[in-house]
């Protein structure tokens, strides 16, 4: 078959990963812990479990294509109009929709380097020219990104906090940046880790989009809210952008189990406040443990930490895997000597630190 | 914002539908039955419910992006290699991926008229020229479709059984058709209702694709298997096509609840055989009821029936809705005087027939 999109073959062929049970079997391990995907290590709240059980009994019915109940609950929580929201099969679907809507061959897209892989893949498939602006001391270099803008720049992706560094850009930096961006360029904030951020100067993008209609923001229920397996994220933007993206999505893109669970999450804030507190404590535990061993790391505003293990980080990753600990080797992202570890629960973090100590 | 794809505005603006609870409230009804979306009216099997409960407790983890367990189970059941399968967020996602991969501006796509709406929307967005070939006596007119083929024809969609007529094309008709189709044209069989078909001359497309590598087939867990709310469908094709489609999909497109439930479905054939039997009996009940009232209908090989109510079918639909029965008015599909009714459970069908009798 002849492909219509010549960029398809610029995407790496798909290699399915192995589920944890297979990894265990192959390595002869009884227990494996996964600190590689920035997941919330805690199970869903009892209210969420109850909502899922209820939704399960009616799973023979198609989902509500408009996410009516979830939309109303989230709009209320965010204090926005409900037609400023779009829901996706994970927030990564909204990244893909935005690129499809606004960028094509002959256009430009600006992202950071390294950055979340989906920005890059979606951009390549669109045929747009991709500008990758290196992080500066593990922070977005907004001035250097601004310098790359031209009349054909359609989208600038800003992960905030950033993955894999865990750092953030401030309200003032974003305001200075936005003043110089043409209105024809979409400034796309990816706030997947929003709920973990505790910083007074973190930007209020929902307010900024009133003044800058070319600003949009995505968030997700996959991280702090622990629904990664169900795939539900959302985008916030002005009506015009939301209408365009809605025309591109499939009518039943968000499954009904995800909708029900997300509504229950929004109704159970106390449970997630406890998780945030726990993650903060565990982040401090990991910092202390690194410091005690003379290992440097980047201060994180997320549920993961970029750690400088030095030398051959791929070997460190392999040695950790042999001990049943899965983390992410950052050499493949161009950060030699670095690993990224998700903040697990207390026993997982202890096991990771113990294993790391044995290796280094 | 300037859109990159000029076809976006050819798609109707999105208008969210109302959930059943809202409809009840507005119409002041205690109970509403939905026979509009060809859903399985029966709840999931106990094994499926148990599998969902288990998956729910681990929903904080990302799904297996390769659908490892489901892939293995389904490949075994279908007796095919597991790299001949792709999974989608519903089989409609696979329709969208195929159009994206193989058709663009300057290309041609052939579909039937009327037909499943997603073929049309995906084709319009690709910029390809769409040929819509009218059904002939409510059957696919494969000869007329073949006559439309030219050197730029990239995809031909064949819903089999067809929606909304419920009819099918036979093995012999398909074989005759395939002999005349260029190898550069993808012949895309949509077998969403496959599990309901009981006909010896129904085509074996999985076997046909050995001889015709330009054949692909999609099926779904949304219909007979009753997982519409979870969104999981699959495509079967040769390795080359599957590889291309895999490069285009998002890595976690199928949620883990759907994967777990689909595996449980495949392990519980007895439950679904009972449902098939029940649907057959109810189909006969509806046929008899129509005949007793002198209403004509199309013999169906699915879980829905195209019914000729005559006159103003939109008024019939509104009158049924007032009585709490939601069916699909086919006037909007260009079939004036027709409605499409899904085969519900015994009490739903009785209520539909009673209401219809009051109206006609």
């Amino acid at each position: 078959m002849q492909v219509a999109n010549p960029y398809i073959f610029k995407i790496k062929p798909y290699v399915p990963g192995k589920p944890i049970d297979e990894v265990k079997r192959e390595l002869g391990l009884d227990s494996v812990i996964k600190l590689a995907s920035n997941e919330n290590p805690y199970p869903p709240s009892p209210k969420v479990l109850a909502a899922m059980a209820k939704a399960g009994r009616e799973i023979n019915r198609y989902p509500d294509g408009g996410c009516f109940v979830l939309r109303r609950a989230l709009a209320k929580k965010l204090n926005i109009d409900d037609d400023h929201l779009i829901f996706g099969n994970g927030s990564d679907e909204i990244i893909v929709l935005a690129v499809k809507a606004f960028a094509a061959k002959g256009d430009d897209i600006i992202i950071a380097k390294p950055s979340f892989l989906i920005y890059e893949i979606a951009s390549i498939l669109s045929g747009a020219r991709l500008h990758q602006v290196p992080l500066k001391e593990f922070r977005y270099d907004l001035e250097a990104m601004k310098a790359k803008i031209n009349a054909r720049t359609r989208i600038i992706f800003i992960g905030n906090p950033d993955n894999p560094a865990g750092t953030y850009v401030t309200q003032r930096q974003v305001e200075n940046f936005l003043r110089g961006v043409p209105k024809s360029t979409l400034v796309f904030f990816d706030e997947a880790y929003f709920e973990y951020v505790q910083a007074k100067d973190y930007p209020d993008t929902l307010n900024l989009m009133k003044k800058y209609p070319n600003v949009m923001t995505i968030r997700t229920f996959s991280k702090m809210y622990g629904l990664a397996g169900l795939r539900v994220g959302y985008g916030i933007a002005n009506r015009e952008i939301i209408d365009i993206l809605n025309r591109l999505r499939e009518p039943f893109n968000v499954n009904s189990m995800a909708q029900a669970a997300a509504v229950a999450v929004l109704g159970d804030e106390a449970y997630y406040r406890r998780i945030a507190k726990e993650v903060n404590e565990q982040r401090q535990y990991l910092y202390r443990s690194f410091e005690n061993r003379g290992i440097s790391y980047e201060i994180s505003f997320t549920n993961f930490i970029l750690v400088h293990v030095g030398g051959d980080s791929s070997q460190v990753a392999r040695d950790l895997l042999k001990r049943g600990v899965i983390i992410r080797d950052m050499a493949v992202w161009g950060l030699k000597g670095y690993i990224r570890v998700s903040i697990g629960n207390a026993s997982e973090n202890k096991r990771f630190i113990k294993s790391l100590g044995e290796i280094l």
Side-chain angles (χ1 to χ4, degrees), chain A:
Chain A
M1 303 297 304
Q2 186 194 323
V3 298
N5 179 337
Y7 309 104
I8 288 175
F9 292 112
K10 293 200 167 188
I11 305 297
K12 271 194 300 185
Y14 162 80
V15 182
K18 281 171 195 159
I20 283 190
D21 285 344
E22 291 292 311
V23 174
K24 276 191 216 170
R25 209 175 41 79
E26 284 184 19
L27 294 173
L29 292 164
D30 287 334
S31 127
V32 166
I33 60 171
K34 192 171 156 232
L35 300 173
S37 302
N38 305 340
E39 293 156 338
N40 175 339
Y42 306 99
S45 87
K47 284 185 189 171
V48 171
L49 286 171
M52 285 196 289
K54 185 164 179 286
R57 292 192 290 275
E58 294 168 2
I59 211 68
N60 51 315
R61 302 293 173 186
Y62 277 91
D64 173 6
C67 296
F68 186 90
V69 179
L70 174 57
R71 181 182 300 275
R72 202 167 47 180
L74 188 60
K76 193 177 164 196
K77 183 191 159 87
L78 299 176
N79 194 25
I80 59 174
D81 291 336
D82 63 6
D83 55 1
H84 288 218
L85 282 171
I86 181 169
F87 293 90
N89 187 35
S91 57
D92 51 349
E93 187 185 27
I94 301 172
I95 296 168
V96 171
L97 292 178
V99 173
K100 222 190 296 189
F102 299 117
K105 192 177 171 174
D107 294 330
D108 279 20
I109 292 175
I110 301 173
I111 68 174
K113 186 182 176 73
S115 194
F116 185 46
L117 203 61
I118 304 285
Y119 310 152
E120 190 177 333
I121 293 176
S123 301
I124 290 171
L125 282 173
S126 77
R129 192 163 57 141
L130 191 62
H131 297 274
Q132 296 181 287
V133 178
L135 297 180
K136 197 170 155 187
E137 294 173 357
F138 290 119
R139 274 157 188 77
Y140 265 65
D141 187 350
L142 291 182
E143 289 310 309
M145 292 177 97
K146 195 191 266 186
K148 289 282 183 195
I149 296 176
N150 63 44
R152 297 307 303 264
T153 304
R154 290 288 167 255
I155 310 180
I156 304 171
F157 283 106
I158 300 175
N160 199 34
D162 168 46
N163 176 10
T167 60
Y168 72 102
V169 289
T170 66
Q171 171 82 17
R172 169 175 281 185
Q173 287 168 333
V174 167
E175 281 182 30
N176 286 339
F177 176 74
L178 287 175
R179 271 194 281 275
V181 177
K183 289 281 175 286
S184 55
T185 302
L186 180 67
V187 184
F188 190 108
F189 288 93
D190 184 344
E191 298 183 351
Y193 299 94
F194 168 81
E195 292 81 7
Y196 286 113
V197 183
Q198 295 180 309
K200 286 202 175 131
D201 57 353
Y202 182 75
D204 180 354
T205 54
L206 272 59
N207 200 35
L208 285 169
M209 61 184 73
K210 292 176 192 162
K211 187 168 172 191
Y212 300 98
N214 56 325
V215 166
M216 93 167 275
T217 296
I218 57 169
R219 293 181 188 158
T220 181
F221 286 87
S222 296
K223 301 297 181 186
M224 164 88 110
Y225 290 139
L227 302 182
L230 281 179
R231 321 304 302 124
V232 50
Y234 58 97
I236 312 152
N238 70 62
R239 271 183 202 92
E240 185 205 359
I241 293 174
I242 295 294
D243 170 62
I244 290 167
L245 299 182
N246 262 323
R247 289 168 195 249
L248 288 173
R249 72 173 174 87
E250 287 134 49
F252 300 122
N253 61 330
V254 181
N255 70 83
S256 41
M257 190 71 80
Q259 293 184 38
V263 169
V265 159
L266 294 178
D268 201 3
E269 286 194 21
Y271 184 85
Y272 295 94
R273 266 200 300 273
R274 279 199 300 278
I275 288 181
K277 190 162 166 284
E278 186 74 22
V279 170
N280 279 336
E281 287 170 13
Q282 289 300 314
R283 197 190 290 113
Q284 295 302 323
Y285 163 76
L286 288 169
Y287 287 171
R288 283 196 310 273
S289 305
F290 295 141
E291 287 159 14
N292 291 340
R293 283 158 186 78
I295 299 168
S296 67
Y297 60 89
E298 202 56 34
I299 293 282
S300 169
F301 293 83
T302 67
N303 70 332
F304 60 82
I305 306 175
L306 186 65
V307 187
H308 188 237
V309 292
D312 185 353
S313 55
S314 307
Q315 188 58 47
V316 172
R318 282 192 295 271
D319 288 343
L320 283 169
L321 181 60
K322 277 184 210 153
R323 287 164 174 81
V325 179
I326 310 177
I327 51 81
R328 193 81 72 177
D329 169 27
M330 286 290 112
V332 288
W333 292 39
L335 296 175
K336 275 191 174 172
Y338 286 86
I339 62 170
R340 190 194 68 192
V341 62
S342 308
I343 301 172
N345 63 31
S347 76
E348 288 170 340
N349 297 333
K350 221 174 254 177
R351 178 166 164 190
F352 159 68
I353 288 293
K354 182 168 171 289
S355 301
L356 192 65
E358 289 166 11
I359 291 164
L360 292 183

